Amino acid sequence: MAGKGEAVMFETTQSFKVVVNDEGQFSLWPADRVCPGGWREEGTRGPRETCLEHIKSAWRDMRPLSLRRALGEEA
């Protein structure tokens, strides 16, 4: 539990969504909040662990899409 003056980032019972940016990078975001600029909803929602497991299985290449394209690799 956070002490006085400390911010609590996420509650354990909070629902999340998976977001992705134009570089193909994934992140976790609170489901009740608008996506930050440059990010869009990927479609997966649920408890934190469910979303993290989805990100782990979906995000195979950590390199930004622009780098993969510059190297001539599949996007």
Side-chain angles (χ1 to χ4, degrees):
M1 177 158 220
K4 187 174 181 178
E6 293 180 24
V8 176
M9 186 74 165
F10 303 115
E11 296 293 328
T12 58
T13 58
Q14 187 172 4
S15 183
F16 292 89
K17 59 186 171 187
V18 175
V19 296
V20 64
N21 65 20
D22 291 339
E23 289 287 348
Q25 298 167 315
F26 289 77
S27 189
L28 190 63
W29 199 251
D32 62 346
R33 298 210 182 149
V34 175
C35 291
W39 295 81
R40 64 186 180 282
E41 288 190 42
E42 178 269 353
T44 303
R45 287 177 171 248
R48 183 177 189 273
E49 288 304 317
T50 299
C51 291
L52 289 174
E53 283 298 318
H54 176 74
I55 290 171
K56 183 178 177 180
S57 68
W59 194 7
R60 297 287 184 185
D61 192 337
M62 302 294 274
R63 297 173 300 166
L65 181 59
S66 58
L67 175 61
R68 294 189 310 245
R69 286 181 174 157
L71 295 173
E73 297 178 13
E74 281 291 316

